[in-house]
């Protein structure tokens, strides 16, 4: 906490020095979303280069004065929270002054900019994300307050929150971790008691694009147990994008890549080649939209695809067919095909990339 306070004090000192010299204060932040500031490293994923281009948020420029005020406001809130050891969600911060902030996404971007500017991981700023991820399976731990949690009972689904990051006595006999893209598939596997039937495992869903807490938990489980991690996604560009976020990270959070990415993650399914192999009826597949085509073309150009020839091949199959499929398409073979046949066979015979 003293590190956070000192970092904020340095920023404010710079502002005061400018004012003392009768100059307009300026905040300097990295261009987080510029691909030119990103490098790909096999062992880490997407990470920000040391000398990246920056942008200046000036207090005397009409285009950036409001952003300057918003950043100072959030910096002051973070400072108070760290001092008093209290926490707030990004939503709380937005509602503290909706007229100043305008939208929730403005607050989200500024918090990431501040984290990057101060070189302090976002979780240390005492700002919490609204939680949306779930974890279940062969996992038990003790929370900070001494509460013992056991996810091994099939009825126990834990909401992933910041408490997971401070847990002690993390224990598991799981043979692997399965990241599931969507809540509906996650719930279906729970109903089928999948994580007890095949072999003990831990199941996680970020319910779409994962939030920070879900990504941090995946990384923590990898660091703790070093067991294989597989992803189960829709066979569409959106599913591939989500899997890449878990594995290689995102451009906007590349400054925190070392804490968030797990480059050893494997693509278990649903593979575009599986659709042909399993003779899935064409009528059950969904035609690409223009947005799907653009998303896929963007993914195919990314630096990490070049070092994944098998992934490249799957993306080419998808691009050629211009068809996508949700995991639920497997129910066209039988209602429990996913948990009874598809996943056990894949895990037993190594059907992952």
């Amino acid at each position: 906490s003293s590190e956070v306070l000192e970092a904020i004090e340095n920023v404010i000192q710079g502002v005061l020095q400018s004012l003392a010299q009768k100059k307009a204060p300026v905040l300097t932040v990295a261009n987080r979303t510029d691909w030119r500031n990103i490098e790909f490293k096999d062992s880490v994923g997407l990470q920000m280069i040391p000398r990246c281009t920056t942008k200046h948020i000036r207090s005397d420029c009409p285009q950036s004065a409001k952003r300057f005020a918003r950043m100072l406001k959030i910096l002051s809130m973070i400072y108070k929270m760290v001092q008093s050891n209290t926490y707030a969600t990004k939503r709380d911060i937005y509602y503290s002054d909706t007229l100043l902030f305008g939208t929730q996404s403005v607050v989200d971007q500024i918090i990431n900019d501040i984290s990057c500017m101060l070189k302090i991981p976002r979780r240390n700023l005492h700002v919490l994300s609204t939680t949306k991820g779930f974890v279940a399976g062969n996992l038990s731990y003790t929370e900070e307050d001494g509460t013992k949690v056991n996810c091994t009972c099939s009825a126990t689904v834990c909401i992933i929150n910041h408490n997971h990051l401070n847990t002690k006595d993390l224990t598991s006999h799981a043979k692997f971790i399965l990241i599931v893209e969507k809540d509906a598939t996650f719930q279906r596997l729970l109903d089928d008691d999948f994580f007890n039937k095949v072999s003990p495992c831990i199941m996680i869903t970020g319910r779409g694009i994962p939030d920070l807490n879900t990504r941090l938990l995946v990384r923590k489980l990898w660091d703790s147990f070093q067991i294989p991690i597989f992803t189960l996604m829709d066979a569409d560009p959106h599913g591939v994008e989500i899997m890449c976020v878990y594995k290689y990270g995102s451009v906007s959070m590349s400054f925190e890549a070392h804490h968030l990415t797990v480059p050893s993650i494997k693509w278990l399914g649903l593979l575009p080649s599986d659709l042909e192999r399993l003779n899935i009826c064409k009528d059950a597949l969904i035609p690409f939209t223009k947005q799907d085509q653009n998303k896929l073309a963007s993914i195919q150009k990314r630096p990490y695809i070049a070092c994944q020839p098998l992934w490249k091949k799957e993306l080419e199959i998808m691009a050629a067919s211009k068809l996508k499929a949700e995991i639920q398409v497997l129910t066209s073979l039988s209602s429990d095909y996913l948990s009874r046949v598809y996943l056990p066979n894949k895990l037993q015979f190594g059907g992952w990339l």
Side-chain angles (χ1 to χ4, degrees):
S1 61
S2 59
E3 192 188 335
V4 181
L5 296 175
E6 192 183 331
I8 295 173
E9 284 162 8
N10 289 339
V11 171
I12 301 306
Q13 200 171 0
V15 170
L16 293 173
Q17 277 171 352
S18 296
L19 290 171
Q21 293 161 9
K22 294 194 166 39
K23 291 180 186 170
V26 175
L27 295 175
T28 304
V29 297
N31 267 328
R32 289 185 298 111
T33 53
D34 190 336
W35 273 94
R36 288 170 298 182
N37 287 332
I38 311 298
E39 64 179 359
F40 171 65
K41 207 172 171 189
D42 250 0
S43 58
V44 180
L46 300 175
Q47 62 177 9
M48 195 171 269
I49 59 174
R51 287 197 178 87
C52 63
T53 60
T54 56
K55 52 188 175 187
H56 300 300
I57 298 163
R58 301 187 61 85
S59 57
D60 62 344
C61 171
Q63 284 83 11
S64 61
K66 199 163 190 179
R67 190 166 183 84
F68 183 91
R70 287 163 172 164
M71 286 191 77
L72 281 196
K73 168 78 172 173
I74 293 177
L75 277 167
S76 74
M77 292 177 79
I78 291 169
Y79 193 86
K80 283 176 192 164
M81 289 191 296
V82 173
Q83 266 191 325
S84 58
N85 197 25
T86 55
Y87 291 82
T89 65
K90 291 190 289 186
R91 201 114 184 97
D92 295 334
I93 291 173
Y94 166 63
Y95 279 113
S96 72
D97 197 335
T98 53
L99 280 177
L100 174 64
F101 296 126
T103 65
Q104 180 68 58
S105 63
V106 165
V107 172
D108 298 353
Q109 284 168 13
I110 287 175
I111 288 164
N112 285 342
D113 276 340
I114 286 172
S115 174
C116 186
M117 178 176 73
L118 300 179
K119 294 184 170 52
I120 303 275
R122 204 179 82 188
R123 62 193 178 282
N124 293 356
L125 301 178
H126 285 228
V127 178
L128 309 174
S129 303
T130 308
T131 295
K132 62 174 191 156
F134 292 146
V135 59
N138 197 291
L139 177 69
S140 57
Y141 53 86
T142 308
E143 287 186 349
E144 243 183 335
D145 63 0
T147 309
K148 293 194 184 298
V149 180
N150 186 356
C151 303
T152 309
C153 163
S154 58
T156 308
V157 176
C158 298
I159 295 171
I160 299 169
N161 57 42
H162 73 286
N163 288 337
H164 284 89
L165 312 175
N166 303 315
T167 52
K168 300 181 293 230
D169 310 327
L170 209 60
T171 55
S172 176
H173 302 294
K175 300 284 182 251
F176 62 91
I177 295 164
L178 181 66
I179 299 171
V180 182
E181 178 186 347
K182 290 194 298 205
D183 190 24
T185 310
F186 181 83
Q187 297 297 338
R188 179 65 212 240
L189 291 171
L190 282 180
D191 293 344
D192 291 348
D193 200 23
F194 171 75
F195 60 75
N196 284 323
K197 279 181 183 166
V198 179
S199 68
C201 73
I202 299 167
M203 291 199 318
I204 289 173
T205 180
R207 298 161 79 197
I209 295 168
D211 60 359
L212 187 70
N213 289 333
T214 304
R215 291 176 64 190
L216 284 166
L217 178 64
V218 170
R219 177 59 197 240
K220 180 164 187 169
L221 293 175
W222 163 248
D223 288 337
S224 302
F225 304 124
Q226 300 280 305
I227 53 177
I229 303 180
F230 302 111
T231 58
L232 180 62
M233 307 280 150
D234 288 340
D236 66 10
H238 189 63
V240 174
E241 173 87 282
I242 289 168
M243 172 173 59
C244 291
V245 169
Y246 282 107
K247 185 176 174 76
Y248 295 124
S250 59
V251 174
S252 63
M253 292 294 285
S254 58
F255 63 94
E256 265 210 70
H258 288 268
H259 309 291
L260 293 172
T261 59
V262 185
S264 60
I265 283 173
K266 305 292 181 196
W267 187 4
L268 187 69
L270 188 61
L271 301 178
S273 59
D274 288 339
L275 304 175
E276 204 172 302
R277 186 176 57 81
L278 297 171
N279 290 321
I280 301 288
C281 173
K282 282 263 167 79
D283 295 343
L285 305 178
I286 307 159
F288 261 27
T289 62
K290 185 72 185 150
Q291 198 180 3
D292 290 325
Q293 286 181 24
N294 293 341
K295 170 75 77 182
L296 183 57
S298 152
I299 293 169
Q300 285 177 302
K301 289 179 194 152
R302 290 187 194 166
Y304 44 70
I305 297 301
C307 66
Q308 290 281 2
L310 297 176
W311 282 33
K312 197 176 172 191
K313 208 170 169 184
E314 292 294 331
L315 298 184
E316 283 164 2
I317 292 169
M318 199 188 287
S321 73
K322 291 192 172 131
L323 293 168
K324 58 184 181 178
E326 297 185 332
I327 298 161
Q328 283 81 351
V329 79
L330 296 176
T331 57
S332 65
L333 302 173
S334 77
S335 62
D336 60 349
Y337 191 85
L338 175 66
S339 57
R340 185 177 54 83
V341 182
Y342 182 81
L343 288 175
N345 282 350
K346 282 253 173 179
L347 292 161
Q348 188 178 347
F349 300 114
W352 58 78
L353 307 178

